[in-house]
Amino acid sequence: MAAIVLDGKALAAKCKEEVKKEAASLARTPGLAVIIVGNNPASRVYVNSKRKDCEECGFLSEEYALPEETTQEELIALIQQLNERADIDGILCQLPLPQGIDEEAVLMAISPDKDVDGFHPMNMGALLVGKEGFLPCTPYGIMEILDEYGIDPKGKQCVVIGRSNIVGKPMALLLLQRHGTVTICHSRTKNLAEVCRSADILVAAVGKVNIVTADMVKPGAVVIDVAMNRNEAGKLCGDVDYAGAKEVASAITPVPGGVGPMTRAMLMKNTLLAAKKHQG
């Protein structure tokens, strides 16, 4: 029997509608500032999408499109100005940044209470020790998908392929918080296919087309495909051989329409949370 398709697009629409209703009850409209440096086409698509999300949620949205030659000092000075503004609750600096700009220094410059991407070490540290903070949007969105479909990590073997600070590591921590037994795989993992076949919940976040094939999926497993790749034909796809895996798994996220929309929806949810904190 083919797998249940975990519809992130429909769930994201539901989440944004809930955010819109809650935001309307606040004394002040939540505000998100998005900074883009240079002319990366993919970054432009993402920034345009985030502006649309803000409109749907009734948020104030400000975009700062800076030229490629912007210096690190100029970028950080802008962030510091936005840190001080009472009408801006969240600041997002679109990655990647042009060469010569230290991404870590830029992310560190964003005030932790406006770090709605959840990348600041203070928010990452809060996640590590189980304290309240902003969760990185992609792992946050994945947990919302699991909850929506009644998939409980408790007691399950959870395998995460990828160890990035943005997805892999926080994903593992969130599954661990929910009592999953977690294994993190990466480029130096031996017998990757064997490890993957042990997973009740398999999360692929590498950025390599078809790194997960159907024979690597345990029958009845839940497969979460985080990646956004282009195959040889230029078609958008993930890390997982979707056609093959959906015949083995019990549930699977599509690409597109799975994790991506939920990442964006969680950015709106984090911005709402920031606004509520700022308004007491």
Side-chain angles (χ1 to χ4, degrees):
M1 186 172 69
I4 295 169
V5 178
L6 303 174
D7 190 344
K9 186 176 181 180
L11 179 56
K14 176 182 172 183
C15 289
K16 286 189 286 187
E17 188 60 33
E18 291 170 355
V19 167
K20 180 181 179 180
K21 289 179 181 177
E22 194 166 350
S25 69
L26 298 180
R28 175 180 57 76
T29 301
L32 176 66
V34 178
I35 304 169
I36 178 172
V37 185
N39 302 303
N40 184 304
S43 292
R44 170 45 61 193
V45 170
Y46 291 138
V47 168
N48 289 348
S49 297
K50 287 162 186 171
R51 186 195 308 122
K52 180 183 176 184
D53 292 333
C54 284
E55 291 172 358
E56 290 178 4
C57 293
F59 289 4
L60 167 68
S61 174
E62 290 192 359
E63 179 187 311
Y64 295 85
L66 307 180
E68 188 87 17
E69 56 270 21
T70 299
T71 66
Q72 182 172 313
E73 292 72 22
E74 289 169 335
L75 177 54
I76 289 177
L78 171 60
I79 290 171
Q80 289 171 342
Q81 291 174 19
L82 294 169
N83 281 337
E84 294 170 5
R85 281 184 47 187
D87 60 336
I88 295 296
D89 298 294
I91 302 169
L92 184 151
C93 190
Q94 184 66 46
L95 304 179
L97 293 168
Q99 285 189 342
I101 297 181
D102 182 346
E103 289 185 357
E104 183 179 355
V106 170
L107 295 178
M108 284 287 290
I110 298 173
S111 176
D113 71 322
K114 295 191 177 187
D115 168 42
V116 288
D117 257 338
F119 295 162
H120 194 284
M122 284 190 66
N123 285 315
M124 286 289 193
L127 171 59
L128 180 64
V129 298
K131 299 295 184 182
E132 184 179 334
F134 295 115
L135 298 176
C137 297
T138 297
Y140 189 8
I142 291 169
M143 297 307 294
E144 292 282 303
I145 291 172
L146 296 180
D147 287 345
E148 176 70 11
Y149 285 88
I151 301 166
D152 187 358
K154 183 178 180 180
K156 292 186 171 67
Q157 296 291 330
C158 304
V159 174
V160 179
I161 313 174
R163 52 178 168 177
S164 72
N165 292 334
I166 294 172
V167 180
K169 291 176 186 176
M171 186 75 252
L173 288 169
L174 287 172
L175 289 167
L176 193 60
Q177 282 183 5
R178 299 286 286 275
H179 311 297
T181 300
V182 183
T183 300
I184 302 179
C185 298
H186 45 78
S187 60
R188 291 171 178 79
T189 298
K190 295 180 179 179
N191 302 319
L192 178 63
E194 184 178 335
V195 177
C196 289
R197 278 192 291 270
S198 72
D200 300 306
I201 299 175
L202 178 61
V203 181
V206 179
K208 187 175 181 181
V209 176
N210 287 351
I211 192 172
V212 176
T213 50
D215 63 305
M216 296 168 67
V217 177
K218 177 182 179 179
V222 174
V223 178
I224 306 294
D225 195 347
V226 178
M228 296 283 277
N229 307 312
R230 296 277 179 185
N231 63 18
E232 292 178 354
K235 185 179 178 182
L236 203 61
C237 62
D239 282 347
V240 179
D241 171 16
Y242 182 81
K246 73 178 182 179
E247 300 302 322
V248 183
S250 63
I252 189 169
T253 57
V255 178
V259 174
M262 284 302 295
T263 297
R264 289 166 45 194
M266 294 306 99
L267 176 65
M268 298 297 103
K269 203 165 182 177
N270 275 347
T271 304
L272 174 65
L273 176 60
K276 289 168 71 175
K277 286 182 176 180
H278 293 150
Q279 296 183 44

